[in-house]
Amino acid sequence: VHGDFSAMADCRCDCNGAEKWWRELLLEFTGTTIFTALLILGSIGGNGAVVAGLLMIGLLYITYEASEDSVGHFNPAVTVGWAIAGEMSWVEAGLFVVAQFAGGILGSLGGWLFAGETGRKFFDLGRPNVNRYLPSGGLNKYGIGNALCLEIFCGFVFILPFIAMFRHDRRAEYKTIAPMALGFFYYAMVSSTSAFTRSVYNPAFHIGQSIIAAEWEDFWLYTFLPFVGTALGAIFFKFTFVDKACGPICGSGGSSGKKRRADSASSDEEKTAASSSS
């Protein structure tokens, strides 16, 4: 699947796959840093949804060219959903999440440097917030409960195209169009909800903003709830469309999933050979 993490999962010091997995971690770290820094500037400028969608398209294509194995998540919630769907091991997912959070913090620091005093003081680096007021200045009866449901729902729907087009038995089929389709999907999702929370449903992005801006209002809402949504979405997709016997955790990890696919392919080849010889 991704880099060879099976040795790490077994707690053995085997560095045969080191070149692959450090490259994938570096891609996640670098991509999340770029995504965060530029999206902060886009959010301050009022073009956050457009910037988010276009960055997603570009970064996914770059990842495809840089590595044969990586998909490019740049989002810890997506990585957790990916692991629940059985597309990567939990050890690998944990390392991805660490790299993404580190990238989110560094990218936010970059955004802080680039934004200037106005962006820092008046826009809080483009941090999201529950919009409790109408544009006219009147009170908007949109509260934390509404935002909570929205964060979970958007996390749920965002993981679906990731698994549908990027899972390993479909990746080659959709390699050309998948980044474009996902980028437009992400743009539509962010732009349709920006008037309510200005969230981009990426915990690495939001935790980096909060740390660098030192603003913690509604922090938990944007950091933890996307994980709930992507977890539910991954279980739903796997159970409904891929694996009818899916349980609460829909796979035993990336390396074993790869072995199952290899065993299945080997079995099919043996059947074909036997049929030909007969």
Side-chain angles (χ1 to χ4, degrees):
V1 179
H2 294 262
D4 184 7
F5 281 74
S6 57
M8 298 182 68
D10 294 337
C11 299
R12 295 196 297 266
C13 185
D14 183 358
C15 298
N16 291 334
E19 184 178 353
K20 281 188 176 182
W21 61 255
W22 75 252
R23 183 187 300 118
E24 294 176 25
L25 292 175
L26 184 60
L27 282 170
E28 288 293 326
F29 171 76
T30 304
T32 308
T33 300
I34 295 171
F35 179 85
T36 302
L38 294 181
L39 186 52
I40 284 175
L41 299 180
S43 298
I44 293 173
N47 300 308
V50 175
V51 172
L54 294 178
L55 281 173
M56 184 63 65
I57 293 172
L59 289 171
L60 288 174
Y61 277 122
I62 291 171
T63 302
Y64 268 157
E65 292 300 320
S67 172
E68 295 180 357
D69 299 317
S70 288
V71 171
H73 297 163
F74 319 117
N75 186 329
V78 170
T79 297
V80 168
W82 200 245
I84 289 175
E87 294 292 322
M88 69 191 307
S89 72
W90 284 102
V91 173
E92 186 179 9
L95 293 173
F96 267 46
V97 168
V98 171
Q100 290 155 354
F101 276 126
I105 295 171
L106 181 61
S108 295
L109 179 60
W112 182 85
L113 291 172
F114 306 148
E117 188 64 29
T118 300
R120 301 169 197 165
K121 184 175 181 179
F122 296 103
F123 296 98
D124 290 334
L125 299 182
R127 285 189 69 252
N129 61 284
V130 177
N131 188 3
R132 298 179 175 86
Y133 298 93
L134 298 171
S136 61
L139 181 64
N140 180 14
K141 294 183 179 180
Y142 189 87
I144 293 295
N146 303 106
L148 184 151
C149 295
L150 183 63
E151 288 289 316
I152 294 176
F153 174 75
C154 286
F156 179 95
V157 300
F158 186 44
I159 195 64
L160 299 181
F162 251 108
I163 301 175
M165 294 184 292
F166 287 95
R167 70 183 191 270
H168 292 90
D169 58 351
R170 291 292 181 90
R171 183 182 175 190
E173 182 178 353
Y174 296 112
K175 183 174 182 178
T176 304
I177 64 169
M180 189 75 69
L182 188 63
F184 281 119
F185 185 91
Y186 189 48
Y187 161 72
M189 186 178 74
V190 174
S191 63
S192 64
T193 61
S194 61
F196 301 99
T197 63
R198 294 169 58 198
S199 175
V200 298
Y201 313 102
N202 186 329
F205 176 79
H206 295 310
I207 197 172
Q209 285 179 308
S210 296
I211 290 174
I212 300 302
E215 293 287 345
W216 302 96
E217 183 180 6
D218 301 329
F219 162 78
W220 62 274
L221 189 70
Y222 307 108
T223 303
F224 301 112
L225 293 183
F227 287 105
V228 177
T230 56
L232 293 174
I235 294 171
F236 168 78
F237 188 96
K238 191 79 172 178
F239 180 80
T240 306
F241 300 108
V242 179
D243 186 357
K244 299 298 183 183
C246 176
I249 301 298
C250 300
S252 55
S255 57
S256 59
K258 183 177 182 179
K259 183 177 185 302
R260 287 197 301 272
R261 287 189 289 274
D263 292 344
S264 177
S266 176
S267 177
D268 290 341
E269 291 175 359
E270 290 173 0
K271 290 179 182 178
T272 302
S275 176
S276 300
S277 63
S278 61

